[in-house]
Amino acid sequence: MPAPFSISIIVPAYNAGGFIDECLAHILPHMTPAHELIVIDDGSRDDTAARVQAQAAAAPQCALRLIRQANQGLAQVRNVGLQEARGDYILFIDSDDLLQAGILARLDAVIASHRPDAIALDFSMWHPDRPDKNRAVHMGYAPDTLVTDADTILDVFFADRHLYAWARVIRREIYASFEQPLYPTNRLFEDVAVTPRLLARCHSLYYLPHQLLAYRQHPVSITKSVSADYCRDFTAALGLTKPALEQAGVSASVRDHFDAVVSYFYIGAVKNSYQLPGATGRTVRRELQEIYRATLFGTPDNVLGKMEQGSLRSTSRRDDLRAARQVRQALANSLVFRFKQTLSRKVKLWQRQAKVRALRKA
């Protein structure tokens, strides 16, 4: 029996009163009877639910459902959305992001013509407070092409390093092929732990070179801190994917590209760890190094050498060289690296404090 909708749009929302109206205003006018919209209010303490209900009343022609639940976190919200969805394909949209005009019609055309397991799209980094920093992000596949080679699907996916749950529209059957609930709860970066596993089960992917959405970048707040768990979860997220890739028997090429993105995640977490108190930061960095080595398919020297030689797919050879150099320095506990990171974090903290002071004066 065919699904009643081509696409289920799932919007997780938590205390989203300041954004949800704008988010839904960019979805509802473009919906047809082929689309359903599921908004999950995850125990909001503001007027999120009331705003969604008002939008639904104003657009009775749209299949919009509001699900309200006690706060359970983003991973469980995604699990509930998957359980409730009835469409052939799943599209996640965060409650503060903006779906781009015309994209649902383009997705429907691709689905009708090719019925791929996954559709990859571009997006934009959107800085509402700094329009000069806005930039388009493109995927590395050949435009308007149906990819059926498993290595290409995964190699490009890992080389692009955009592991967001919303960056690809994937058939609901792929999600359902896993033991449920799919998204791991009680940890951060749940999409990083799941999206590679989904792509590993996709036999076809179509690259639609149009912007799916504007991905809102929030001004950095002085109150936003990086915790030890944040650093650990960020580094370990791909480790949850590794067994699934091993079971799928992925090629040496995919393993190398996986190891490259693991290296990027590791050095990102190491840099963030310098925001932690001294002793805590040192302990966390020792743990991160153990997690990093355990997550790799190969050795650090193998993947870092290939990043340095330019033998892997890449969006930026310059970034690869810098990341490889910094990973080597972090593994060697380089004094120069430690000094630079400590100084860098102090400068960024001063800059955030300056921004806060300027906002308070405005």
Side-chain angles (χ1 to χ4, degrees):
M1 181 177 178
F5 302 103
S6 65
I7 302 172
S8 293
I9 307 164
I10 301 172
V11 178
Y14 174 69
N15 290 344
F19 307 108
I20 195 67
D21 283 334
E22 190 176 19
C23 176
L24 297 186
H26 280 74
I27 299 174
L28 293 168
H30 306 289
M31 290 177 61
T32 73
H35 311 130
E36 71 166 343
L37 173 58
I38 303 171
V39 180
I40 303 175
D41 180 7
D42 189 38
S44 295
R45 298 188 300 272
D46 64 2
D47 62 348
T48 294
R51 289 178 178 274
V52 174
Q53 290 168 338
Q55 292 264 17
Q61 76 281 5
C62 295
L64 190 163
R65 281 189 287 155
L66 170 65
I67 297 174
R68 304 183 69 177
Q69 63 181 36
N71 182 256
Q72 299 178 54
L74 182 55
Q76 186 57 21
V77 169
R78 296 197 194 283
N79 291 330
V80 171
L82 292 174
Q83 182 181 3
E84 294 290 331
R86 295 171 290 171
D88 276 338
Y89 289 77
I90 301 295
L91 166 58
F92 285 107
I93 299 178
D94 290 344
S95 59
D96 55 351
D97 295 339
L98 305 182
L99 188 73
Q100 298 300 281
I103 202 64
L104 290 179
R106 292 182 185 276
L107 285 169
D108 280 336
V110 170
I111 291 169
S113 299
H114 301 284
R115 290 197 61 78
D117 286 340
I119 305 171
L121 301 101
D122 299 333
F123 60 94
S124 66
M125 292 288 190
W126 172 42
H127 298 259
D129 63 321
R130 287 285 306 276
D132 58 300
K133 295 179 66 175
N134 293 348
R135 65 181 179 89
V137 178
H138 306 282
M139 300 299 174
Y141 302 99
D144 292 308
T145 298
L146 183 68
V147 182
T148 56
D149 176 69
D151 282 3
T152 302
I153 290 174
L154 287 172
D155 283 356
V156 175
F157 168 73
F158 286 127
D160 286 344
R161 303 197 306 278
H162 303 304
L163 280 61
Y164 311 109
W166 47 258
R168 287 146 206 93
V169 179
I170 299 176
R171 289 178 60 199
R172 183 160 57 93
E173 287 184 5
I174 301 295
Y175 284 96
S177 68
F178 290 88
E179 182 179 350
Q180 303 297 315
L182 176 57
Y183 285 92
T185 57
N186 301 318
R187 65 178 301 123
L188 302 169
F189 309 106
E190 79 295 330
D191 48 354
V192 173
V194 169
T195 308
R197 296 164 59 197
L198 295 170
L199 267 291
R201 288 197 182 179
C202 290
H203 299 291
S204 59
L205 178 146
Y206 191 93
Y207 173 38
L208 182 61
H210 294 274
Q211 288 192 8
L212 172 66
L213 52 76
Y215 177 30
R216 186 188 297 265
Q217 305 299 293
H218 294 273
V220 176
S221 169
I222 190 172
T223 61
K224 180 181 178 181
S225 61
V226 172
S227 68
D229 284 341
Y230 176 100
C231 294
R232 294 188 194 99
D233 284 357
F234 189 71
T235 307
L238 283 165
L240 299 178
T241 289
K242 182 181 176 182
L245 297 179
E246 289 177 319
Q247 186 176 7
V250 297
S251 69
S253 175
V254 172
R255 292 179 179 224
D256 285 340
H257 286 87
F258 173 86
D259 283 357
V261 75
V262 170
S263 299
Y264 268 100
F265 274 50
Y266 165 66
I267 198 58
V270 167
K271 290 179 180 179
N272 278 321
S273 73
Y274 281 88
Q275 297 183 38
L276 301 172
T280 302
R282 289 191 291 273
T283 299
V284 166
R285 285 188 285 278
R286 288 194 293 270
E287 294 174 358
L288 297 183
Q289 185 171 146
E290 293 177 3
I291 295 170
Y292 171 59
R293 292 181 182 277
T295 302
L296 295 174
F297 278 107
T299 64
D301 276 343
N302 176 69
V303 64
L304 299 177
K306 290 182 177 180
M307 292 169 69
E308 291 161 342
Q309 296 159 13
S311 58
L312 302 177
R313 290 180 183 266
S314 175
T315 58
S316 170
R317 299 297 182 199
R318 183 178 179 180
D319 288 350
D320 285 355
L321 286 170
R322 182 173 63 248
R325 182 184 70 251
Q326 292 178 338
V327 170
R328 290 191 186 279
Q329 291 174 333
L331 294 177
N333 197 26
S334 161
L335 177 62
V336 172
F337 177 78
R338 298 201 315 266
F339 174 77
K340 286 183 177 180
Q341 295 309 311
T342 301
L343 180 62
S344 173
R345 296 303 155 178
K346 287 183 178 179
V347 169
K348 289 182 179 179
L349 176 61
W350 178 85
Q351 290 173 334
R352 290 199 297 268
Q353 290 172 331
K355 286 182 180 180
V356 170
R357 287 195 296 267
L359 288 172
R360 286 173 179 170
K361 292 179 181 179

